[in-house]
Amino acid sequence: MFVATLIAAGKLTDEVVREAIDRLDATGHEVGAPHWLDVGDAADIVFQGSLVSARAELALMDHGALDTIVQPMGDRTKKLIIADMDSTMITVECIDELADYAGIKDEVAAITERAMRGELDFRAALIERVGLLAGMPEATLTECRTERVKLTRGARTLVQTMKAHGAYSVLVSGGFTAFADAVGEAIGFDKVLANVLEIAGGKLTGAVIEPIVDSAAKLETLKAEAAKHGLPLADTLAVGDGANDIPMLTAAGLGVGYYPHPAAGEAAAAVIRHHDLTALLWAQGYPRRSWVLG
């Protein structure tokens, strides 16, 4: 048994839901009656058939603000969330914003973009970019965090609601503890893992302290936390936007690309391109009345 969740906050109509049902029916799926999670915002369609076929068919729907998540019905309410930080739980790439203070944002952002697209090795690209920040005053980290870092809309509501329903939450970032620790606390994550910038004499040395949090570390965190809490991977949710998130996205019970770069979008089981992070609550079957607003 599978469920397709249609999300178009404030714009989801009976006609759009009917089209989805008709598409599934026409491609050989056995479709049940739709159920509104929140009228006009999100609706579930339960069906039997092919998960792969249903995802491909519903992806053809073109209604502007529509996001569709198709997944197994039985384990949709996740008990562990592993989330990326930069451009996922916050709206910026911290290293690019730091580079702006050094007057080299364009140079660093170009490397970041290529790394997130999977065109460069993440570890090598991180070492190269951090090296360009050598000599930056440590105080700039706090200045940048205060002036530039904004939580993504819905981030706190997503995490707090899942925690209220018994889930454990981990922020795992290829960024830096100087940002991630504060972001994790602000959102309410139970655990935070990120890279540590080496500092000497009140300035960045241009080095990252090992071990580096890369794609392998993100995947290992997902597996280790699931095992620690006695959870099968089917009970986990991973969300991120870049190529370094792909291993954890493909291993999780539900891997979601959030406004993803192409490689991550293609690899993820589901993609959010139009809504904020609360879409992941509808995806888990939570109606708005059960949310813990952040």
Side-chain angles (χ1 to χ4, degrees), residues 80-199:
L80 171 66
I81 177 172
I82 305 287
D84 173 48
M85 181 177 71
D86 294 68
S87 297
T88 302
M89 288 289 144
I90 61 175
T91 62
V92 297
E93 293 285 338
C94 291
I95 195 165
D96 295 353
E97 300 307 313
L98 277 176
D100 198 22
Y101 286 83
I104 54 172
K105 183 174 183 177
D106 288 347
E107 179 181 355
V108 169
I111 300 172
T112 301
E113 175 67 18
R114 292 187 65 196
M116 292 300 98
R117 292 176 66 89
E119 297 171 1
L120 297 174
D121 175 73
F122 177 82
R123 170 183 286 267
L126 179 67
I127 291 171
E128 178 183 0
R129 286 173 291 164
V130 172
L132 295 172
L133 302 179
M136 174 176 283
E138 181 181 7
T140 304
L141 298 174
T142 301
E143 184 181 1
C144 180
R145 187 183 72 239
T146 302
E147 294 181 352
R148 304 290 181 90
V149 174
K150 305 295 181 185
L151 300 184
T152 300
R153 186 175 177 182
R156 183 170 169 79
T157 297
L158 169 62
V159 172
Q160 291 297 324
T161 299
M162 290 186 66
K163 288 177 63 176
H165 289 85
Y168 190 77
S169 57
V170 182
L171 182 67
V172 58
S173 173
F176 311 116
T177 55
F179 298 91
D181 287 346
V183 168
E185 181 177 0
I187 294 175
F189 278 93
D190 294 305
K191 183 176 181 178
V192 176
L193 180 66
N195 290 303
V196 180
L197 292 168
E198 185 179 69
I199 296 170

Side-chain angles (χ1 to χ4, degrees), residues 261-279:
H261 293 271
E266 291 174 7
V271 173
I272 299 298
R273 300 190 190 279
H274 303 290
H275 298 90
D276 65 35
L277 286 166
T278 57

Side-chain angles (χ1 to χ4, degrees), residues 201-216:
K203 295 184 179 182
L204 275 64
T205 67
V208 183
I209 296 175
E210 295 284 351
I212 288 176
V213 179
D214 56 11
S215 60

